[in-house]
Structure formats: C-alpha cells, structure tokens
Amino acid sequence: MQVEIFNMCFMKTLSLWIILINHIHCQFYTHFFSRTYGPSQYDFNHYKPFSYSSPVNFIIPYSRPKIQQSQPPSSFYEPEGLISSSGLSNSSLVNNHFVPRYSSTILKSQNESGSSRDHRFLSLFTVVQFPKDICATSAGDNGTCLSPPDCRQKGGIVAGACANNFGVCCVFMVSCGQTTHENGTYFVNKGYPAGFNGTTSCQLSVDKISADVCQYRLDFEQFSLAGPEPINHICNYDQFIVSGSSPIPIICGINNGNHNASGPVVLSITTSGTEVSRYWKIRIIQISCSSIGKADEGCLQYFTGISGTIKSFNYEPVIGLHLSNQDYSICIRTERNFCSIQYSQCTDSANNRSHSFTLTGNTLGQNAVQSYLGSNNCNADWLTIPCASNVGTLMPGSITCVDRLCGGTLNAEPSVIPTTIYSTVKPFRLHFHTNSVESPDMGNIGFCLHYVQQPCNGKL
C-alpha cells in the first residue's frame, strides 16, 4: 500500500514537471516566432497553466547582409582608348604603374545558388610596370614612354602608344623663354616647323632631371642660321651660344646632324636681319655620371661605334665655310677589341675634286691644294690627329708619324692625292683649331671625315 501510494505520488510529481517543462518550451517558441517571423499560425496558448510575462532576450541567428560593391570615385582618371581592349577598363595609369581604377575588398561571388553564397577576398593590386624608355613616333621624333597623366602634367605632346598600349610616347618641345626639366626635350624655333625670319634673342634654360646628371648632349637634328661673314668667317649675323659650362665656341650656319656635349647650360640663339629663314630643332639628352655614353673630359663632340662621320661646324660642300675662333676636341670611344683607327675624306659630289678637307690655302677653285704637315706649316688653322700615318706607308727617315694636318688634302705626306690615314694612339681623339683671321686663305669649308676602328689583330 505504501509502495503504491509512493508510486502514485511520484507519477503525479513527474507529470507536473513534464507539464512545466512543456509550458516553458511553448512560451519560448511563442516569443521566438512572434519576434522573428511575426504572428504565427501556430497557437501555443493551451499550454498555459500559469502566467509567464517576464521579458526574454533571444539571440537571433546571424543573417549575412548583402555586400555592396564599392563604386569608382568619379574623379579618377581613365585613359581613353588605350586600355579598353585589354579588358581592364576600370583601371588607371599612375606614375607609370598600371593600377585598378577602383577596388572592392569584398566581392560578391559569381556563382550563387539558393541561399548558398560564396564570398571571396580578391586582391586587385596586380601592377603592370614599365620603365621610362625612349620611344619613337611615326614622325621620326624620339619621346619618353610615360603614362597619359604624367605626359599631360609635364606639358608633353602625346604622339603614339608604347608599352603595349599601357603608356604613351610623350614628346617634349619647348621654345624661347622656357625652362625644361625633361630628358630628350626638343628646343625649336618660334613657329616650328615653319622657319623664322626676323631679329630675336631666344633663350632656353635646361635644368637637371637629377643630381646624377653630369653632361648634356645636344643633337642638332635641324640647324640652319645665317652663315659667317665671308672674309674672316666670323659669326657676326646669327649666333648659337652655350653658357653656364666649360667654354664652348660660338657657332652659326648649317649644322644638321652635328652635336656637342656640355655641362649645365643656357642655350641662346640670336638672329639679325630678315634675309634668311632660320630654323632649329635641337634635342637635349641628359647623361648620368655613370652612363656608358658619358663623354671623356674635355670632349666637345663624342662619337661611339666602330664607324661614323665627323664634320666641322658649318661644313657644307656648296655654301659652307669653316668657322673662325674654333678650338675643341673630338673624341671617339674605343670599342672593345679595337686598337687603331683610320680616317678618310668624305665623298664630295658637289665639286670636281673633293673639298671635304680644306683648312688652309686658296681652295676656292677646282685646282688641287696639297697637304701640309707639322706646326711650322700649320700654325693658323689645323686638325690634330695624334701620330698619323698613311695606311700601308711609313714615313722616311726618323719621322714615322705627324700630328698637325692642314692644307687642302688629307694626307700624312705632302701630296695632292687624298689617302686614308691611321693612328694607334688611344684614346682616339682629334683637336680642331682655327684663329680669327682667314685672309689670305679663301674658300676653306672645313672637313668631313669617315672613321673606322680597326681590330687589334688586323692589318694596317
């Protein structure tokens, strides 16, 4: 009897616990569904044996919000027509680096199915780099490969594409009264490519692009000013002057294809009179102190390569006259495995005989003027080639070579027949000198020589 009473009490107690637990569960889900999903179709009120009104805080399961893809700032620059073909239209060229126009650190996956979403963190910092190399335009000019914004910011002219269309070939052209800070700048006359006819004083200041720049190379791609006066060959009408560096002689006349090298400079061109149409286009190349193209000390002109052509300023077969007051060195870089060098006169198709080496004497007509040698004979105007000898010939007696050459014929011996001469003195260097008086000499137009370096094991 006692056992039965105990069992009945136990069962009643267990039932009460079950009812209470069910009530709590029902209250939980009622609050859960009503707060989460609003009014429910399920009614749990019949599980209320007593009132339960205390507030309950529920942790709602995390619902990942939609990820908004960032939009590109409207102020970012996008190159026109240069990048669209590559599929990277939302991109920009900045400081010669190809970078995204905009980027999102979190992107929405392309493969979404139902409620399953795959989010990825993608890096868009892939950079296409290209150096500031020299590039060529369709017009034949040389420019610098830059990004479009850099070219515009620096005041350059876009003249084609480079770096697989990621960059532009940027050409810099400046004229009178300006300053250039860019390598490869062209200094041109007013109104270029048309000629300039008038009186002016035109200056260009050239600043270094870096502290490592030791020299400037000036390439006269086009250079035509009034020539010197015909008596003493002095540049009285027009002048090209380089200031701010070691002394450089004043030049004038026609100097297409010539060049010189110097230090920090101000370039000045003065013209007078309206009888001549002048034009100039001078390319300015800045050379670093460690560059293989740096000229040796004291060289106004510097040539590289196994062969080439050397001309005095204002050399021109028909109307040219060599200039007075010239005194400068011409250097040729000795190439590897070459030990000597040969020189010969250029072809002169404008005259019955070659005037391509005429420094002293009356060379105005077509009669031959012989070569002169040594300091006694060549004391006014001369070209020095160290220890020069004719190819295949040795000088008689104790004299085996000469240094100073002048007259109207290139020859290491007194002769009216031009020949090829050679020198084994290294480094390869010539020196040209003229004084301020030309009379009684007449018709001398200077020199034009071809040079060819000879290998160390070659025959002279």
Side-chain angles (χ1 to χ4, degrees), residues 2-59:
Q2 291 179 354
V3 173
E4 290 179 359
I5 294 172
F6 174 79
N7 287 337
M8 292 175 62
C9 292
F10 175 78
M11 293 301 295
K12 290 180 180 180
T13 304
L14 181 61
S15 298
L16 289 173
W17 278 106
I18 291 173
I19 293 172
L20 180 61
I21 291 171
N22 286 337
H23 173 76
I24 294 173
H25 284 184
C26 290
Q27 291 294 325
F28 172 83
Y29 282 105
T30 300
H31 282 275
F32 173 78
F33 278 94
S34 64
R35 293 192 182 188
T36 307
Y37 298 102
S40 174
Q41 62 179 337
Y42 302 102
D43 187 7
F44 298 102
N45 290 331
H46 62 281
Y47 289 105
K48 292 198 294 184
F50 60 87
S51 175
Y52 182 82
S53 60
S54 301
V56 177
N57 294 322
F58 296 101
I59 300 175

Side-chain angles (χ1 to χ4, degrees), residues 446-460:
F447 65 86
C448 176
L449 302 178
H450 295 308
Y451 74 84
V452 180
Q453 298 190 36
Q454 301 300 306
C456 296
N457 57 357
K459 259 190 171 183
L460 296 176

Side-chain angles (χ1 to χ4, degrees), residues 224-228 235 237-239 252-254 272 276 278:
S224 181
L225 303 179
C235 295
Y237 309 117
D238 294 353
Q239 296 181 341
C252 59
I254 301 172
S272 61
V276 179
R278 293 97 167 167

Side-chain angles (χ1 to χ4, degrees), residues 2 4 6 47 57 88 129 132 164 176 179 189 199 206 217 222 254 283 287 302 305 318 329 355 367 415 432 446:
Q2 291 179 354
E4 290 179 359
F6 174 79
Y47 289 105
N57 294 322
L88 296 171
Q129 300 182 6
K132 295 181 180 180
N164 293 324
C176 307
T179 299
N189 59 275
T199 299
V206 183
R217 177 185 168 103
Q222 297 179 28
I254 301 172
R283 186 166 179 245
I287 301 173
Y302 187 64
V318 178
S329 292
H355 282 69
N367 295 325
S415 174
F432 184 49

